[in-house]
Amino acid sequence: CPDTLVLGCTHFPLLKEEIWQVLPNCALVDSGAAIARRVQYLLNITNTQVTSKPGQVYCTRLDAQAKALQRSFNLRALGELSLWAMD
């Protein structure tokens, strides 16, 4: 078992409790804030404007696999899935 696990994407912290159930002695490094800052930086350098609401969930495709996650988002008081297309 690993002693440390880096949650290297913005959605991995949503699974923190489940990961701890499987790896109870593992230290989790939450990099969500750093990833969010990087995304903001990339959006700024590409002049991409994102209008969002708190708790809104965006994805780059709305296929069956993405829609299957909606129940998990609802349990965490997050909004409906919305398509986010970069111009």
Side-chain angles (χ1 to χ4, degrees):
C1 280
D3 62 356
T4 304
L5 181 64
V6 176
L7 305 176
C9 193
T10 56
H11 62 281
F12 288 164
L14 296 173
L15 301 172
K16 192 182 300 187
E17 295 300 321
E18 289 84 353
I19 293 170
W20 268 327
Q21 289 176 12
V22 176
L23 301 168
N25 298 318
C26 186
L28 300 181
V29 178
D30 185 346
S31 64
I35 299 296
R37 284 191 301 273
R38 177 68 176 160
V39 168
Q40 182 63 52
Y41 169 78
L42 293 172
L43 291 173
N44 286 339
I45 65 171
T46 61
N47 291 324
T48 301
Q49 299 297 316
V50 176
T51 303
S52 65
K53 299 177 278 187
Q56 186 62 44
V57 179
Y58 292 92
C59 57
T60 55
R61 65 176 193 251
L62 287 175
D63 60 7
Q65 185 178 14
K67 291 178 182 177
L69 297 172
Q70 186 63 60
R71 183 174 182 273
S72 293
F73 295 143
N74 291 345
L75 291 173
R76 290 167 175 82
L78 297 173
E80 295 296 315
L81 290 171
S82 296
L83 183 62
W84 177 39
M86 292 186 65
D87 297 329

